Each structure stands twice: as structure tokens, then as C-alpha cells.
């Protein structure tokens, strides 16, 4: 019925005694997510709405068998928290924190990709598998159980498109916000291939935006490997031209990074692209009808 | 629509990782601190000071406009001066010059170098590979993008494992494969290693030297410096924080910077406020599809509170080109009732009379809509969807 | 007939234009080893007794298809050379250089163990597969083709024991000097398991010495996993007791590190241990006779 | 035969990775440079200087013998002095003291600390895992080995990935699991991070603080410092190279150090010279099996040249206990003819008359044996095997 988070998720929340951490841990639990632990150094023995707090991730995992971590600690401490999560052995780490330095993330990404743990984010809204579990900050009322897998770089745009889908009676298997930072743990390709392997996902909606070339890479990957139909939305057609310091960036990108360029790359590989949220929901409806 | 490859740079950086661009002279000062040879020089902001600097430096100097944009050479922003008189005259011409919408506020006076050969060297964050990328070419000078296109063999490139770092053998491989002249090799190897160390030590996203020169005396020297720093890492570089000065001459962008609002000016008349970069970009697109022209990009952020809404509206309303406001909120962390209250506060404070179209969805949406329908003045209208809100705003902009 | 080096070895020698590099590259080639390339930065285009020299390892591997590297560069540059060898993609790296800092080797070891390349050494005499290939500095006249796999931490002791074996008419499938440094790329366990998997090795001779606990770990491993018979020799029964700075080392070793301790650990797992080189050759002869 | 776990330390380190052991005061100076709090103090080598230092420091001081061996506390090498008079008196007693064969040449005078609690902290190179190991215990003080044996729960241990390093969360985990008192936690976390940084920056093999104290004023301070450095890395620490002074009082060991010969004195009468640590250790064993007692360990190295043979023989022949020499060479890189020539030169120069048994094998063995049989004096005999050479040497030692 879903990818990444579901009824088997046992969640530990890093930074659970902070304002945002406590609020969203509690909300996630209220949605039905199995929130088994929180971590705040020095606060072992306390609890947050019945969720026990531990000093370290290792303790939390040892004591509760948590398999998923959500990182809510401030950016200056988030790099440390991410390494701690990796070493604790959890399978999945979802990092909500925004503002982690790119150099730190390069190191974490390289380290993580040598093993088989999964990182979603940072700077992401989390993951929801409607009716099963919600890990993150998404407004749960927008999402309904269904058979569309939604993956997006943008938080609020995810809600917008989910709302448009809901207006047409379409629900989701899972919704994954991969985050908008230059270095995120999981790419479109990673999530699209998980959806493709999920028997309960009939259609994939991929929501991109200007910058980088992840959408272009995903287009190639989809054409070569993915059998589940994909529709896409790209934001930023009106993005203004601007200056650029130095030429190194322009040399390496290869692709233009523009919305138009991404749209063309996707369409060239047979992926239909909507140019506004309402349209992409309609494309999804048509694609589902054609199954 | 952006057509150049650099077209989306500005908004991408604003939405997906803000960066601090340094002036050439700041970059060179950092280079010097990291052991990268640079010509000696001084930064000045008056023609008289330029003369004095040229006297102190002695001999022929170069007067270089300090602007955070490329192409200053072609625009006349770099001049050779054989005497202090000439330096003063050039500084007088260059100071105040407008180079691609950037006003020159200071010039860098440096000792002229005797160039035997011009190379190119850079370390960049490669977003696609999520690794640093080091590039080196024996074909340096004005247009390295052209070299990359027409003679890619002349550009040696190498990705670096950020955990094991950039090592001497990497530098050697680049030097041999870029075809650096034998006499300059060890100098370039050493500079590449220092450049990479500076790149990581300073949380840089780009360090570019173009040209990197081989001089008549056999030294290898950085004749230019383009340095950008990851804003997310500035907290651990307090000295660089001080370099973060406003470089825009646009009044709204300046006001936005002061208030900490993420804002980019566009040339339309529909003022836009939304939450979340993706949703705001989408809003611009929907306005354009409805036949309108957005006046700006403004992201009030993920957890917009009343104060932030007030600050954002102040920026938008200060722009005389804006004929209508479109407020598009999808609350996740953001709560619609707080946005509605912020809007009322702002309208009260700013006495705005232009038409305002509001679309509120998500957390506490009913409460937010109720607040507006009960308390807002008549120029505020609520629309149920993003699309209808955009259409209404465009109609109003055309009708006024 | 052998492990690690054989007729398929295509060797590149790093530091080939140095005094020792040139001498041993030439000797290895004279033995019949396929020495395809050398590397010395800035000397591309030259040759050493007909072996072409390249500026970088990548060039050497690209041009010659080398699959094995031997490192002969001085210790200050050897760390760099090792990373260069690793990145060049060769399957096997043999590092003769002595005196590489332990911290450098910790990094290299950790890095290397994440992939599937093999490092022998540093501070080792190399590998010989008699009659097939010699990579390193061993005096080749001591070794004869045969069915004993010899692995040793010590160079000269390897020659001594091979000589004792030769006096009894016993030859070797391969002889591997793993090196005497605190951090070496391959342990007794790594090499013993290769010999165990080699159909042409009938008996393994493991030559250890005081210090560390690699022999004790090998004893456990042999008892649990190895079917080929093993005999062993340990040097250092007369090692004098001495002082120790701090207690951290004593806490972690667990095993005593003494020759007697190692002998007892091996014998407890059924491995016969000789107390002098002549005796271990006799033990090998008896073990071979019992096959 | 060594029975203690630390028994083989000396020879192991000599044969498999030589290390520079620092004095406490040198370790503390390095700690201070790396941000680890230590009591202020001075190093002195006369009682008068001890008095002056105590006066400058003021208040109660501690007078501590500087020796590179443990157990000085029990031996009376650490004394509290309430006055400069007492400091002088203690220094007079301690200077010149013999602590486990180490003569005290200097004392460290430091301000006394008010100890609330004693902890233990260390970073060691763990040879078995090939990684740094960090250890922390709230049970610090005299005998941490005893704690490890009897109460292992009180010792928190953690291996570090050398590529990603020691991170704040590692330090926190150690502090919570070692049971460090709440008020001392942040101080200990910070010291652990500094200690690890110093360990890697200085190419250390051991950095041990025992005790690490929590003081009445709430600070966490390193009251002792045991630091050893990897000799192989000294080339990149020129400041540490200067600390590498001779610490042996044995004349042969001192001579060996000066000549750069790898030598350890034993208590027998058969002098031994070989090439390669393994072969030399094996030679000691074979001599013992033959009923003899080796006088030393001496490794002439992998590529022994004539000069090195001369230097090695000079060391051996200077020891009056040596009754016979056993020279055991298996040439790989080493060439037997060079060894033979070196031997002749040395005998000529040193006028040695004691019996010398030589075994030469390996590269150029025929030539080497020929040189000796033709040119060596009558006290030199050649044996064909290692075993027979050892037996002959033992017979000669007993017979003389």
C-alpha cells in the first residue's frame, strides 16, 4: 500500500523536546504513526505525550527497536544528529531541518551511499502514506489513501497538487517530499524506482522545479527502467534570468536547469508534463483512466 | 523565458541554497590567507585614494572595477595605469559605472603582472554528482565556457570524494591532462591543493581563478578571484558574515533584504505573496497562464507568522508598479488564521487600497477565511482555488 | 597453482625510476613477471629496461590494462601513491614502502575495506608464486614451485623458512609477506582463506611473531572455517619484558601478545606450532605426509 | 619469558612501529595548545629552580617526577608542597631518584587542584581494529586496568571511523555511558573532542589522561598526560622531533640510538646481529633453545650496507658482557658480500678478538662466504645453517 513509511514504521524523533519536534511528533502519533521514542541529550527518563525520551540514538534504538528516525534538531547540530542516526543503524532517516551546510551534506551523502540506509531530505516536509503513517510536517487532511505515488522537491506545492488530486477523487499510496536542498539524500530516481516496485502504486506523479538536473536524469531513468506510468509537473517557467558568478557552474550543468528545458526533457521521454497544478491532476486522472 | 544557461541562477540560488558572492578583492584576500599567490593591491573608493594606492604600489598598476558580475573587462571596468595620474583618471571613469545593472562602488588597484601564459582553475560544488569538482585548463583567459564547448579536451575535470579529499595525485593528474607547461606544473599543483583546502575550509560553493597566470619570473599567480560561500555555513565563519553587504540598487530588494524577506523583483504588475518556494514559483506560472504579469517572487517561508506577513506586504506595497496583490497560502506549518490576522494588521498599518485577492488553504483554513470575510475591508476578496485566485487577480490588474 | 600473483598479473610499478624501484622492477621482470608499466610523475615517455613510464596511475592503467600495482615510492609520498593506486582501479596493490604513518594507513585501510580491492603491505617483501610471478623484493632462488602456501609478517624469516622447506624438498604455491606494520592491508585471516580456497594449496604455513593479536584471531578463524591443514611458527619467545606508557593498550589487547600466548592459542585450535624455523619445516613435512 | 600483558611492549614497538614517548610536562604543553585545560606549571631540573617556580605559581603546588614509566606515585615521585621550602625539599629528594630503572632528571611543579572526582579518558590506536579507540570512565585514578577487569561496565569504549572522525554524538554517548556526573558532562564532552583532534593532528598512538579531574570550581582538567607519537610521522611534526631525546641510561642503548641502530639490551652473553626483525627474534629463540643466553636484539635492517654493519658491531663489541658474536644474515635486499666486507672493516677497525660465528645466506651468499673464509682472521667461523651457527655460538660462549 505504500513505500518507506507504513504500519511497520517505528519512529524515533531526534530533537523531540524542542518546540517543533514536540508538536510534530505528537501530530504524527495522533495520525496513527508508531512513534516509539524521542532523543534529547540529558533528558532521558522524560516523556513527550507518552513518548519516552533517551539521551542518545543508540539507546533509543536498543531500547525500542526503532527503525526510522526523524531529525528535528537545529541546523548547527543537525549534521551531528544525522551521523548519530546513521550509526544507530535505523533503516530510514527523514531530515526536516532546513539550513544544513552543503559541505556537511556532501560528506554525509558520500558516507551514506556506501551503505544501504536511506535518507530523505534535509529541508523536506517528510513522508505520508495516507491511512498508515505520517512522518513529518505535512497537513494530513489533504491526503487520502489511493494508488498514486507522489514525489516532490517542494513542500507546499505537494499539498497543492494533493489537494487538486483530492478534488478529482484521487488518493495516494505514499507522498514523499525529497527536499529542496542542493544535496538531498534521495533523488527523484531513488523514489520513482521505489514506487515502480510497489504493487500498490499505479501511477507516479513527479513534481519538480527549476535548478539542477535531477528531473532530466529522472527522465532518462524512467524511459529506460520504469514501467509504471509517470506524469510530471514543473514549477518556475516564469523564473527570471539572472547573473552568475564565474563560469564553472555553467560548464558542468550540461542541461539548462530551466522549467522549459526540464519539460522538454521529460516529454522527449514520453512523460506528460502539466504546467499548473490543476492540469497535472487532470493528466493524472487521464492516465489512471487509461490503465 | 530564460534561454541562457545561467538564466535561472538567481532564483535557483534564492530558493535552493542562498550564497554569498564575494568581490574580487575579498576573494584575493582569502586566497592570500590560504597560501595562494595573488598580486599585492589595495581597495579604494575614490579617485584620489586610487592615486595614492598606485603611488604606494609603484610601477604599472591595474585599476579593476569591483562588481559581482562578469563581463566588466568588456565594459571597460579594467584599465592599465602606468602612472598614479592615469590610475586616478581610470578610477574616476570606473567608479559609478553601471555594469549590467551593477553600480561600481569601489576599485581594486594592484601591481601589474607580466603574463607568460593564462590558465584557468576552479573548484565548484557539482550539484548533480553532489561532490566538489575541480577544473583546470591551459586555455585560460576570457571565456572558459567557450573552451568547454569547442575544445573540451583542453579542460581537465575531476570529481573529489569529500571524505578522502583532494590529494596530490589528483592535482598532478589535472596538471598533466590540462597540458600545463612544465615550468608551471609544481606551482599549479600547489595552488590547486590550496584552492581545494580553501574551498572546504570556507564552505565555498565556487572558487574560480581566471586567469591563473604563469609570470615572466616563473611564478603562478591568481589574477582574478570569484568566490561564493554557502549562506547556510556562515555561522561558522563570522569573518565572512561581515562581508555580506547589500549589492542591489533596487529599493524593494533592498527593503526585503533589510527585513529578511525572500524577494526577487520581476517586471509585471501583479504582486505575489505565497509560502514555500515551489508554491510561489507555481503561482507566478499560473498568473502568467492567466494572461497576467507577476511583479515579483516573494516567499513568506514555511512557518509564516503575522509579523512576517506584515513585513512582506510592506515590501510589496512599496512598489508603485503593483496594481493588485495575490496572496496564495497553503498552510502546513503555516496556519491560515495567523496569515489572515497578519494581513489585517498590515492593511490597517499600511492603509492599502489596491485590490487584494486571497486564497487560503490548509491548516486552520476555515478560521482564516472567516476572519477575512468578517473583518477585511472591501478591497480584499477571497477565492476558493489557486487558479481562480490567479484569474481574478489578473482581471483586476487589467481592469484598474 | 597460486594466489594473488600469477601468469595473469599485469604489473605497474609506482616509483619505477627510483633506485630500488628500477632494480626490483627489472628483477621481477627477469623472473618472468609481466611488468607492463611504471609510473613517475613527469617522466612519461621514458622507459626502464623496456618498461614504459607514465605520469599517472590512471594513464598507466588506461594504456596497459595493468591489474596489479607495486608501490616503491618513499614514505612521505606513499600515502598519496596508495590512494592513486586505489583510484586507478587495479585489483591488487602491493606496498613495499616502509615507514608510512599509522594514521595515514588507518584512513587507507578504512577506505579500502569498503570496496573490493586488495592491499598487501605496507612494509612487506611482496608476493612470489614460484615459477609464475614475483612481485616484490624476495630472493627468488629460495623458492620452488610446490603445494605449500606460506604467509608471514616477516621478510627475512620468510626466506629462512622457505630455505628450510627447500632443504626438505618442499616448494610453495605462493608466498605472501603481509608486512610487519601495525596497520597492513591484508591480515593472516585474509590470506589463509585465499589459500584455503586455492585447489593447488595442500598445506598452509603461517609465520607470526610477537605483538598484536592477529595470530590469535587467525587461530579462531582457522578452527571455524579452514579445511586445509595449517602449521605455524612464532618468533619472539625471548622478547624481553618492557615498560608501557599508559594503560589503554593493555586494556584493549585482551590477548597477551606474547609468543607463548600465540603458540597456546594456535595449539588450542589444533594448529601445530614450531619454535624454530627448522622445526616448522619438519612439521610441514609431517603434515604433507599425512595428507 | 614475558608474563605480564605489557611484557612485549618494548620489542614490539621497536620492531613494528617505533614511538616517541613524551614526558608528562610535554604532553600537558601539547594539551594546552589543543585547548585541553591543564594546571599551570613549570619544568625545572634543580631544587632551587623548584623553589622559585613554587614561589611564582603561589599556594600549594605538586612536585612531580618526570619519567617515561608508570608507577611514579607509588615510588614517591609525586609530592604535595604547601610552601616553596617544601617544594625545594621534595625536588631534592625526587631529582636523581631511580624509578624502575629510569633516573629522574627533571620535575614538573604545578598548582595543586581541588579534586571533586577523578575520571579516566584516553584515545588509543587499536591495532586489532585498525581504528582509534576512545575510552572514558568515571572511575579514574590509579589503576584503570583494574577497573577494566573488575567493573567493565564503568569503562565506556568506542571505535572511531578515521574518515568521518570523532563527532559530538560520540562524545555524548561516552559521557552518558561512562556515568560522568551531570555537572562535568559538557566539560568532558569538550575535552574528548579536543583530545581526539590532538590525537589525529599530532599523529599520536596514545593520549591518556588519568586522572581527568572535576574540580571544586566546576572545571574539568587534565591532571596527567601520557602521549606517544608515531615515529613514522615525525617528519611532519618538526616541533615534536625536538622532543626526541635519549631516555636510556644504558651505554650500549645510548650508543645505538646515536648511531641509528635498532638495538635492545638483554642480559645474556651471546651478542646477536641479524637483518630483519623477524629473523633476529627467531635467532634469539634459537640461541635460547641451544641453551645459550642472548645479550641483545640488534636488527641491522633490510638493506644493510657495510657502514651499518660497522656501526652495529661497534655497539655490540662495546658491551663487556658479550663473550661471542653470532651474525645471522639472510640476504634479500641485503647482499652477503657487502655484509662480509663490513665485517672485515669492523674487525680491522675495532681489533676484536672474541669468537665470531657467521651464517650467510641469500643474495650473493657464495661471494660473501668466500670473502670471509679468505680474508677473515681466525676468530671468525662460518656455519652453514642458522641452527648450527646458534649451537656453535652457544658452545663458544660456554667454553670461553
Amino acid at each position: 500500500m505504500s513505500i518507506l513509511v507504513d504500519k511497520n514504521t517505528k519512529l524515533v524523533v531526534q530533537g523531540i523536546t524542542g518546540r517543533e519536534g514536540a508538536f510534530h511528533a505528537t501530530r504524527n502519533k495522533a495520525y496513527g504513526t508508531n512513534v516509539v521514542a524521542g532523543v534529547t541529550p540529558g533528558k532521558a527518563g522524560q516523556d513527550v505525550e507518552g513518548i519516552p525520551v533517551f539521551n542518545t540514538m543508540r539507546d533509543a534504538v536498543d531500547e525500542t527497536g526503532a527503525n526510522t528516525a526523524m531529525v528535528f534538531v537545529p541546523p548547527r547540530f543537525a549534521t551531528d544528529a544525522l551521523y548519530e542516526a546513521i550509526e544507530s543503524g535505523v533503516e530510514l532517516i527523514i531530515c526536516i531541518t532546513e539550513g544544513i551546510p552543503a559541505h556537511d551534506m556532501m560528506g554525509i551523502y558520500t558516507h551514506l551511499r556506501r551503505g544501504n540506509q536511506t535518507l530523505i531530505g534535509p529541508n523536506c516536509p517528510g513522508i505520508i502514506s495516507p491511512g498508515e503513517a505520517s512522518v513529518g510536517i505535512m497537513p494530513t487532511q489533504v491526503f487520502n489513501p489511493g494508488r498514486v505515488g507522489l514525489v516532490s522537491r517542494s513542500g507546499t506545492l505537494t499539498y497543492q497538487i494533493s489537494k487538486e488530486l483530492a478534488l478529482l477523487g484521487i488518493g495516494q499510496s505514499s507522498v514523499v517530499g525529497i527536499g529542496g536542498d542542493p544535496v538531498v539524500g534521495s533523488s527523484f530516481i531513488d523514489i520513482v524506482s521505489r514506487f515502480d516496485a510497489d504493487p500498490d502504486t499505479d501511477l507516479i506523479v513527479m513534481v519538480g522545479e527549476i535548478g539542477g538536473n535531477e528531473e532530466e536524469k529522472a527522465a532518462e531513468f524512467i524511459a529506460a527502467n520504469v514501467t509504471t506510468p509517470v506524469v510530471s509537473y514543473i514549477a518556475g517557467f516564469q523564473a527570471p534570468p539572472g547573473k552568475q558568478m564565474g563560469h564553472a557552474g555553467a560548464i558542468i550543468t550540461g542541461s539548462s536547469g530551466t522549467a522549459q528545458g526540464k519539460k522538454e526533457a521529460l516529454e522527449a521521454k514520453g512523460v506528460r508534463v502539466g504546467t499548473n497544478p490543476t492540469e497535472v491532476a487532470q493528466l493524472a486522472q487521464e492516465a489512471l483512466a487509461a490503465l | 523565458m530564460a534561454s541562457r544557461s545561467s538564466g535561472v541562477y538567481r532564483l535557483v540560488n534564492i530558493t535552493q541554497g542562498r550564497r554569498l558572492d564575494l568581490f574580487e578583492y575579498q576573494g584575493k584576500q582569502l586566497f592570500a590567507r590560504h597560501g595562494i599567490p595573488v598580486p599585492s593591491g589595495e581597495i579604494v573608493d575614490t579617485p584620489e585614494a586610487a592615486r595614492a594606492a598606485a603611488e604606494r604600489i609603484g610601477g604599472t598598476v591595474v585599476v579593476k572595477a569591483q562588481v559581482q558580475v562578469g563581463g566588466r573587462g568588456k565594459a571597460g571596468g579594467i584599465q592599465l595605469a602606468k602612472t598614479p595620474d592615469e590610475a586616478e583618471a581610470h578610477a574616476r571613469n570606473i567608479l559609478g559605472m553601471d555594469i549590467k545593472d551593477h553600480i561600481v562602488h569601489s576599485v581594486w588597484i594592484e601591481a601589474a603582472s607580466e603574463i607568460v601564459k593564462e590558465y584557468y582553475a576552479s573548484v565548484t560544488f557539482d550539484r548533480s554528482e553532489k561532490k566538489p569538482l575541480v577544473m583546470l585548463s591551459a586555455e585560460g583567459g576570457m571565456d572558459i565556457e567557450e573552451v568547454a564547448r569547442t575544445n573540451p579536451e583542453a579542460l581537465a575535470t575531476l570529481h573529489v570524494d569529500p571524505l578522502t579529499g583532494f590529494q596530490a595525485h589528483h592535482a598532478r593528474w589535472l596538471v598533466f591532462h590540462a597540458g600545463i607547461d612544465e615550468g608551471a606544473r609544481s606551482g599549479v599543483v600547489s595552488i590547486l591543493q590550496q584552492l581545494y583546502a580553501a574551498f572546504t575550509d570556507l564552505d565555498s560553493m565556487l572558487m574560480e581563478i581566471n586567469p591563473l597566470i604563469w609570470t615572466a619570473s616563473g611564478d603562478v599567480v591568481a589574477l582574478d578571484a570569484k568566490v561564493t560561500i554557502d549562506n547556510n555555513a556562515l555561522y561558522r565563519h563570522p569573518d565572512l558574515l561581515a562581508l555580506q553587504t547589500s549589492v542591489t540598487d533596487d529599493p524593494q530588494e533592498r527593503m526585503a533584504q533589510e527585513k529578511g524577506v525572500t524577494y526577487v523583483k520581476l517586471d509585471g504588475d501583479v504582486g505575489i505573496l505565497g509560502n514555500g518556494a515551489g508554491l510561489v514559483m507555481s503561482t507566478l506560472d499560473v498568473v502568467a497562464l492567466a494572461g497576467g504579469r507577476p511583479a515579483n517572487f516573494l516567499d513568506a517561508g514555511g512557518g509564516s507568522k503575522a509579523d512576517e506577513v506584515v513585513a512582506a506586504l510592506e515590501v510589496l506595497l512599496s512598489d508603485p508598479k503593483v496594481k493588485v496583490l495575490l496572496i496564495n497560502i497553503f498552510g502546513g506549518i503555516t496556519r491560515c488564521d495567523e496569515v489572515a490576522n497578519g494581513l489585517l494588521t498590515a492593511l490597517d498599518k499600511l492603509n492599502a487600497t489596491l485590490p487584494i485577492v486571497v486564497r487560503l488553504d490548509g491548516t486552520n483554513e476555515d478560521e482564516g477565511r472567516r476572519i477575512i470575510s468578517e473583518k477585511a475591508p472591501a478591497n480584499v476578496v477571497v477565492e476558493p482555488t489557486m487558479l481562480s485566485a490567479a484569474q481574478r487577480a489578473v482581471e483586476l490588474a487589467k481592469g484598474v
Side-chain angles (χ1 to χ4, degrees), chain A, chain B:
Chain A
M1 279 288 284
S2 55
I3 64 168
L4 295 165
V5 304
D6 56 27
K7 289 285 174 205
N8 299 316
T9 294
K10 298 174 79 175
L11 183 68
V12 50
V13 179
Q14 293 176 264
I16 196 169
T17 60
R19 185 177 167 277
E20 295 293 322
F23 178 69
H24 290 287
T26 309
R27 278 184 61 183
N28 288 174
K29 188 180 176 191
Y31 189 76
T33 312
N34 188 13
V35 185
V36 298
V39 169
T40 299
K43 301 210 171 164
Q46 301 185 7
D47 75 290
V48 170
E49 304 277 332
I51 305 163
V53 179
F54 297 87
N55 282 332
T56 71
M57 275 295 286
R58 248 216 254 180
D59 294 345
V61 169
D62 286 352
E63 297 290 324
T64 67
N67 57 17
T68 302
M70 173 162 63
V71 178
F72 251 114
V73 305
R76 293 184 191 202
F77 308 105
T79 300
D80 187 50
L82 282 168
Y83 276 112
E84 186 177 8
I86 293 167
E87 285 190 28
S88 77
V90 292
E91 298 157 22
L92 172 64
I93 303 161
I94 297 158
C95 183
I96 310 298
T97 305
E98 180 182 350
I100 302 177
H103 278 259
D104 291 5
M105 282 309 306
M106 280 194 266
I108 289 170
Y109 182 86
T110 302
H111 183 60
L112 203 65
R113 284 275 156 162
R114 291 189 174 131
N116 47 22
Q117 293 165 288
T118 300
L119 170 66
I120 302 291
N123 191 12
C124 83
I127 308 171
I128 183 167
S129 297
E132 296 201 60
S134 172
V135 178
I137 61 172
M138 297 203 212
T140 53
Q141 69 273 18
V142 189
F143 306 97
N144 305 297
R147 302 185 64 85
V148 166
L150 178 59
V151 55
S152 171
R153 276 164 72 182
S154 158
T156 45
L157 203 44
T158 306
Y159 319 153
Q160 178 67 35
I161 287 169
S162 294
K163 167 120 190 186
E164 303 277 2
L165 289 171
L167 289 174
L168 301 178
I170 301 169
Q172 296 93 353
S173 51
S174 296
V175 178
V176 182
I178 58 173
D181 273 5
V183 183
V184 290
S186 297
S187 66
F188 281 130
I189 290 174
D190 296 323
I191 305 305
V192 164
S193 52
R194 280 182 189 266
F195 277 131
D196 193 36
D198 176 30
D200 294 305
T201 297
D202 295 340
L203 174 72
I204 301 167
V205 176
M206 185 175 92
V207 180
E209 59 187 45
I210 56 167
N213 65 348
E214 291 298 324
E215 292 82 359
E216 289 85 337
K217 282 157 69 179
E220 298 284 341
F221 179 83
I222 289 164
N225 304 288
V226 176
T227 54
T228 310
V230 181
V231 300
S232 182
Y233 172 70
I234 305 292
F237 286 88
Q238 294 301 309
K243 59 161 185 153
Q244 169 144 350
M245 282 279 287
H247 297 267
I251 291 169
I252 58 176
T253 36
S255 67
S256 69
T258 60
Q260 188 61 33
K262 290 174 188 294
K263 181 170 188 280
E264 285 165 10
L266 284 159
E267 286 176 343
K269 299 297 179 184
V271 176
R272 295 180 72 188
V273 179
T275 51
N276 67 70
T278 314
E279 187 185 358
V280 76
Q282 287 160 354
L283 292 179
Q285 189 178 41
E286 287 169 26
L288 286 171
L291 286 177
Chain B
M1 216 119 327
S3 59
R4 287 182 298 144
S5 63
S6 57
V8 298
Y9 170 81
R10 195 165 175 213
L11 197 50
V12 166
N13 279 2
I14 281 189
T15 59
Q16 294 155 24
R18 272 176 261 187
R19 297 169 190 190
L20 169 61
D21 290 339
L22 302 187
F23 289 108
E24 174 199 6
Y25 79 94
Q26 296 168 329
K28 280 184 171 167
Q29 287 166 352
L30 292 177
F31 280 3
R33 243 184 278 159
H34 279 81
I36 299 168
V38 292
S40 57
E42 297 184 27
I43 184 76
V44 298
D45 55 10
T46 66
E48 295 72 27
R51 160 190 287 277
E55 276 166 1
R56 275 189 295 272
I57 293 165
T60 303
V61 300
V62 191
V63 182
K64 304 176 85 174
Q66 298 299 292
V67 280
Q68 290 168 339
V69 69
R72 63 188 167 153
K74 283 180 192 156
I78 302 180
Q79 300 291 341
L80 210 65
K82 293 200 171 135
T83 64
D85 273 354
E86 276 184 44
E88 179 175 348
H90 287 316
R92 199 178 304 281
N93 287 336
I94 292 172
L95 286 164
M97 195 181 259
D98 181 331
I99 300 177
K100 296 182 184 169
D101 294 332
H102 288 245
I103 308 297
V104 180
H105 298 294
S106 59
V107 292
W108 172 247
I109 315 289
E110 77 181 8
S113 302
E114 256 193 278
I115 301 173
V116 173
K117 198 78 173 280
E118 293 188 325
Y119 307 134
Y120 169 93
S122 67
V123 187
T124 330
F125 162 66
D126 181 358
R127 181 179 176 139
S128 178
E129 292 292 319
K130 296 166 179 63
K131 284 179 180 163
L133 177 71
V134 185
M135 293 196 270
L136 181 70
S137 178
E139 309 286 321
M142 293 304 276
D143 198 348
I144 192 70
E145 282 183 71
E146 182 67 18
V147 173
R149 251 192 316 275
T150 59
N151 188 15
E153 285 290 302
L155 185 72
T157 66
L158 188 120
H159 284 100
V160 181
D161 177 325
L163 296 179
T164 50
F166 183 73
Q167 301 163 332
H169 70 89
H170 293 133
R172 288 197 305 272
W173 185 87
L174 285 164
V175 159
F176 288 120
H177 283 258
I180 299 297
D181 303 85
E182 190 170 350
R185 278 181 200 156
S186 71
V188 175
V189 161
S190 153
I191 283 178
L192 286 178
Q193 291 180 281
Q194 310 281 23
L195 193 67
Y196 187 85
F199 178 79
T200 55
D201 291 353
L202 299 172
D203 278 297
S204 172
M205 305 304 275
L206 166 71
M207 293 221 165
E208 190 175 58
I209 309 177
N210 191 18
L212 175 70
I213 59 162
W214 185 28
T215 69
S217 54
D219 299 319
V220 182
V221 177
L223 210 57
D224 195 3
K226 290 202 177 61
V227 173
T228 77
I229 307 291
D230 177 9
N231 270 24
N232 283 344
L234 283 178
Y235 72 86
R236 52 191 177 202
H237 304 287
D239 51 326
L240 297 182
L241 256 178
L243 305 181
Q244 200 176 24
T245 53
S246 173
V247 294
T248 175
D249 296 294
D250 177 84
Q252 277 73 43
E253 294 197 344
R254 191 176 287 269
M255 188 194 288
Q257 278 178 12
E258 283 159 9
K259 294 177 182 290
V261 173
T262 305
Y263 173 94
V264 177
K265 180 171 277 189
L266 303 174
D267 54 8
D269 52 13
V270 179
I272 286 166
L273 185 160
N275 66 322
L279 185 64
V280 179
M281 281 196 285
S282 180
T283 308
L284 303 191
D285 292 347
V286 174
V287 165
L289 286 171
R293 293 168 60 236
N296 66 280
F297 170 99
L298 193 158
D299 175 11
S304 314
K305 300 284 175 308
D307 283 357
E308 288 152 1
V309 174
V310 173
L313 284 176
E314 279 186 294
V315 172
L316 293 183
L317 293 173
S318 73
D319 183 356
K321 281 198 304 183
V322 170
K323 293 183 184 161
V324 57
L325 282 192
L326 169 56
I327 298 178
N328 185 22
I329 299 294
F330 207 121
I333 296 193
T334 306
R335 298 175 201 175
C336 292
D337 53 336
E338 292 189 1
V339 173
N341 282 322
L343 178 61
L344 294 181
T345 309
L347 293 180
D348 198 42
K349 185 177 169 194
L350 303 168
N351 201 15
T353 54
L354 84 177
I356 299 174
V357 182
V358 179
R359 178 277 190 132
L360 289 176
D361 248 319
T363 310
N364 298 357
E365 58 191 29
D366 294 337
E367 178 72 0
R369 289 179 195 145
R370 194 186 52 73
I371 290 168
I372 288 180
S373 62
E374 286 177 8
K375 301 185 184 165
N379 59 328
V380 177
V381 294
V382 175
E383 281 287 337
T385 72
M386 175 167 157
L387 190 57
S388 68
Q391 286 163 342
R392 184 73 176 271
V394 171
E395 282 164 22
L396 287 165
K398 287 184 174 163
V400 175

